[in-house]
Amino acid sequence: MLTYLFWTVVSFFSGSVMYSYLIPKLFYRKDITKISKDGNPGCGNVFTCIGIPCGIICLLLELAKGAVPIWLSLQYVSPDNIMFAGVLAAPVLGHAFSPMLKNHGGKAIAVTFGTYIGLCPHSLLLFLLAIPFVFFSTALRITPHSLRVMTTYAVTLGSSFFFEERISLLLGTAIITAAVIYRHIGDYLRREKRQYGIYIFSLRLFGRASGEQEISRTGKA
């Protein structure tokens, strides 16, 4: 039991290190939470606001902070034990509610992928997340981004019940899904709730534009 608690704590603090905030702050003297549109301390904003080289570095570190503690923990504990759910979810929770930023963390997409990378080859969860993420970003595209992410994680959780039998991994995935949806639903309700769209590639099936988009399209105030 103590071993699982130890790795849960290690994984949480690994996830709580906000590389996408620290690296721009230390090397570029820029606060990514202030210069980005949504204030999110994530690698996506680093790519946009700082540049591709810095973005790649931050992305690799965000993946690693999820993958490394999970991979290391599997050398000492079993993923079959129900307590492994906490170990699995801890990097995502650490990132989403980072003590470094007074519990105002990031949206936890990259660290989730890292966590599932660290779980390979013990589970198919990495592919259960990657496949719908690509599908809803290309073939059946959902907009805005926050709605796409929430849909992707919900589908991943649902499909995991068909491909994964271990309660520990199902519970861990449920906790991760809840944390990521929590981090995204605020943006959707505050800034994007009046718009959505579903497309087959570039062909729009249905949706609703925001008030600003409608004004821009019609030219009427």
Side-chain angles (χ1 to χ4, degrees), residues 7-48:
W7 284 109
T8 298
V9 173
V10 169
S11 297
F12 179 87
F13 281 104
S14 176
S16 70
V17 180
M18 306 301 290
Y19 295 106
S20 294
Y21 171 81
L22 288 174
I23 291 179
K25 189 80 169 176
L26 293 174
F27 295 99
Y28 294 85
R29 297 292 188 265
K30 293 183 178 180
D31 187 338
I32 200 69
T33 64
K34 294 181 179 178
I35 64 176
S36 58
K37 290 183 178 180
D38 60 359
N40 177 50
C43 58
N45 280 336
V46 178
F47 274 102
T48 302

Side-chain angles (χ1 to χ4, degrees), residues 66-78:
V68 172
I70 297 301
W71 182 82
L72 287 175
S73 71
L74 289 171
Q75 314 307 308
Y76 301 94
V77 297
S78 170

Side-chain angles (χ1 to χ4, degrees), residues 45-112:
N45 280 336
V46 178
F47 274 102
T48 302
C49 301
I50 306 297
I52 293 176
C54 185
I56 291 174
I57 293 172
C58 291
L59 174 60
L60 293 176
L61 289 172
E62 297 289 358
L63 291 171
K65 75 180 186 180
V68 172
I70 297 301
W71 182 82
L72 287 175
S73 71
L74 289 171
Q75 314 307 308
Y76 301 94
V77 297
S78 170
D80 299 332
N81 191 298
I82 188 66
M83 291 195 69
F84 188 77
V87 181
L88 182 64
V92 175
L93 295 176
H95 179 87
F97 307 100
S98 175
M100 180 179 296
L101 297 179
K102 299 179 180 179
N103 296 328
H104 297 292
K107 295 181 180 179
I109 298 173
V111 70
T112 303

Side-chain angles (χ1 to χ4, degrees), residues 7-221:
W7 284 109
T8 298
V9 173
V10 169
S11 297
F12 179 87
F13 281 104
S14 176
S16 70
V17 180
M18 306 301 290
Y19 295 106
S20 294
Y21 171 81
L22 288 174
I23 291 179
K25 189 80 169 176
L26 293 174
F27 295 99
Y28 294 85
R29 297 292 188 265
K30 293 183 178 180
D31 187 338
I32 200 69
T33 64
K34 294 181 179 178
I35 64 176
S36 58
K37 290 183 178 180
D38 60 359
N40 177 50
C43 58
N45 280 336
V46 178
F47 274 102
T48 302
C49 301
I50 306 297
I52 293 176
C54 185
I56 291 174
I57 293 172
C58 291
L59 174 60
L60 293 176
L61 289 172
E62 297 289 358
L63 291 171
K65 75 180 186 180
V68 172
I70 297 301
W71 182 82
L72 287 175
S73 71
L74 289 171
Q75 314 307 308
Y76 301 94
V77 297
S78 170
D80 299 332
N81 191 298
I82 188 66
M83 291 195 69
F84 188 77
V87 181
L88 182 64
V92 175
L93 295 176
H95 179 87
F97 307 100
S98 175
M100 180 179 296
L101 297 179
K102 299 179 180 179
N103 296 328
H104 297 292
K107 295 181 180 179
I109 298 173
V111 70
T112 303
F113 275 98
T115 298
Y116 289 159
I117 288 171
L119 195 58
C120 292
H122 297 275
S123 175
L124 295 174
L125 284 171
L126 174 63
F127 302 99
L128 296 181
L129 177 62
I131 291 172
F133 204 99
V134 172
F135 181 74
F136 292 133
S137 299
T138 56
L140 187 65
R141 187 164 56 92
I142 298 175
T143 61
H145 175 71
S146 57
L147 184 59
R148 177 165 62 248
V149 171
M150 290 188 288
T151 303
T152 296
Y153 275 75
V155 169
T156 298
L157 177 60
S159 61
S160 66
F161 284 90
F162 296 95
F163 294 94
E164 181 57 65
E165 297 180 351
R166 286 165 289 190
I167 300 298
S168 58
L169 300 189
L170 292 174
L171 179 58
T173 299
I175 297 171
I176 290 172
T177 300
V180 172
I181 289 178
Y182 175 80
R183 292 298 299 158
H184 282 81
I185 197 168
D187 273 356
Y188 183 72
L189 293 177
R190 283 193 305 270
R191 301 187 298 112
E192 300 171 338
K193 64 181 179 179
R194 296 192 62 188
Q195 58 178 307
Y196 62 88
I198 297 180
Y199 304 76
I200 294 181
F201 296 103
S202 60
L203 178 63
R204 181 172 177 172
L205 296 181
F206 59 87
R208 182 177 66 182
S210 66
E212 292 81 2
Q213 289 173 320
E214 288 292 345
I215 292 172
S216 176
R217 183 175 64 85
T218 62
K220 298 177 181 180

